[in-house]
Amino acid sequence: MNRAPLSLAARKLPAAASTQLTHPIQLSVTRASLISAVQLTKSYRRGKCAVPVLKGIDLDIELGKCTAIVGKSGSGKSTLLHLLGTLDAPDSGEIWFQNERLDQWSVRRKDEFRNKLVGMIFQFYHLLPELTALENVLVPRMIGHGVMGYWRHRAEYTRRATELLELVGLGHRMLHKPNQMSGGEMQRTAIARALIAEPALLLADEPTGNLDSESGREVIETLLKLKQQRQLTIVMVTHDENVAAIADRVIALVDGQIEVRRQ
Ligand code: ADP
Ligand code: MG
């Protein structure tokens, strides 16, 4: 079947925001939610038993909003994030990307979704130690476009990566390697890397979990700035009440189900 390339809704944006919107993506959307889950379940096998982790999750992630997911360690927060990002598949239930059943897409289309529309950041940054900040930000481009494609467009990609590093406040750290940067700087490099493909959705798993409160605050301020400037939709797992406080909406995972803490 010949399908339209994945793209993001051509929704009405405030004028200030639309000039900032650089998604290469033009698409049609009629829903206010970017991604939704309907009665998602997920269990893991432990020996002969299946241990249920998610027991029927209903969730609507609104376009352009920041949703924080809180809950005890082991409550399934990372599992839920992985399902939304198609890193793992649910046992049952539905995941919708706007008007399409994301969970039913082919492996190839899910790959395209992850590569083009989703950026991810993790607690431990996962930067490559031998590469500079600039090179780390370029890695997804190197992988996604092959050697020839990358070399053909390298000037444009480098300009874009430079802009992103400046945007996250690291204009003075471009040529530093991870061991020459603080934790907060490494996480902001990881944010720039997550955004190089101009994703619509940023999934962040405990992005401040390894940082002191000052660095954590800088990372969160960076995420907020990006959300506003780029109409980024953020889903962020956090243990930290102060981090959850800046979200538009806070939900908790309790005993495999969603409890809305703040709408
Ligand atoms: P959280 O992020 O809230 O700490 P997780 O989603 O990582 O929780 O894990 C939820 C539960 O699922 C935990 O009990 C964990 O041990 C279990 N779990 C997570 N991933 C796997 C896996 N790949 N195989 C088996 N059990 C897993
Ligand atoms: Mg986790």
Side-chain angles (χ1 to χ4, degrees):
M1 191 173 24
N2 201 10
R3 309 192 72 153
L6 285 173
S7 51
L8 180 66
R11 70 183 188 121
K12 285 259 180 279
L13 295 167
S18 62
T19 56
Q20 302 282 350
L21 191 75
T22 49
H23 294 292
I25 310 172
Q26 293 305 319
L27 98 100
S28 44
V29 164
T30 48
R31 301 168 59 124
S33 64
L34 183 67
I35 192 159
S36 320
V38 183
Q39 284 298 299
L40 277 193
T41 72
K42 180 76 182 173
S43 312
Y44 290 111
R45 291 215 77 77
R46 202 166 289 156
K48 288 193 174 158
C49 309
V51 180
V53 176
L54 305 179
K55 301 179 187 169
I57 300 288
D58 288 320
L59 180 63
D60 240 351
I61 302 296
E62 261 185 79
L63 210 51
K65 296 274 168 70
C66 177
T67 304
I69 303 177
V70 300
K72 287 186 192 149
S73 182
S75 59
K77 304 180 297 296
S78 296
T79 301
L80 178 57
L81 211 62
H82 293 169
L83 297 186
L84 297 178
T86 71
L87 292 175
D88 202 354
D91 297 336
S92 66
E94 302 170 2
I95 306 177
W96 290 79
F97 175 70
Q98 301 192 322
N99 295 321
E100 295 193 48
R101 273 289 291 274
L102 173 57
D103 57 295
Q104 293 184 333
W105 283 351
S106 65
V107 170
R108 196 168 158 192
R109 196 155 163 86
K110 283 182 189 162
D111 287 347
E112 193 188 359
F113 168 77
R114 268 196 312 279
N115 293 337
K116 292 191 176 168
L117 293 182
V118 184
M120 297 190 199
I121 55 173
F122 304 93
Q123 183 174 354
F124 295 109
Y125 331 125
H126 301 306
L127 300 177
L128 294 173
E130 297 304 319
L131 302 186
T132 64
L134 184 63
E135 289 164 343
N136 265 289
V137 174
L138 286 166
V139 162
R141 284 300 196 213
M142 294 176 190
I143 293 171
H145 294 253
V147 177
M148 294 311 284
Y150 174 74
W151 276 97
R152 225 183 357 261
H153 297 287
R154 71 188 180 287
E156 179 198 330
Y157 294 159
T158 303
R159 183 180 51 72
R160 181 89 205 95
T162 304
E163 272 172 24
L164 280 169
L165 281 166
E166 282 167 356
L167 191 68
V168 299
L170 292 177
H172 59 311
R173 291 284 185 269
M174 305 246 186
L175 302 181
H176 282 55
K177 291 186 176 171
N179 66 5
Q180 300 167 316
M181 292 191 276
S182 69
E185 288 170 341
M186 285 193 272
Q187 190 61 292
R188 283 183 283 140
T189 304
I191 293 172
R193 179 184 56 190
L195 297 183
I196 189 80
E198 310 270 0
L201 174 66
L202 183 71
L203 301 177
D205 197 350
E206 309 261 10
T208 63
N210 199 38
L211 299 175
D212 60 62
S213 56
E214 171 65 15
S215 306
R217 195 177 52 77
E218 280 170 16
V219 163
I220 293 304
E221 279 171 5
T222 303
L223 289 177
L224 280 182
K225 183 165 90 173
L226 292 165
K227 179 178 85 94
Q228 272 148 14
Q229 287 191 352
R230 294 172 179 264
Q231 292 287 305
L232 200 57
T233 302
I234 300 176
V235 183
M236 178 171 62
V237 166
T238 185
H239 265 112
D240 186 334
E241 300 275 327
N242 295 326
V243 172
I246 60 97
D248 298 305
R249 182 170 184 238
V250 182
I251 59 168
L253 268 177
V254 182
D255 197 19
Q257 304 208 294
I258 293 283
E259 276 181 11
V260 176
R261 290 283 160 86
R262 182 158 57 74
Q263 196 66 30

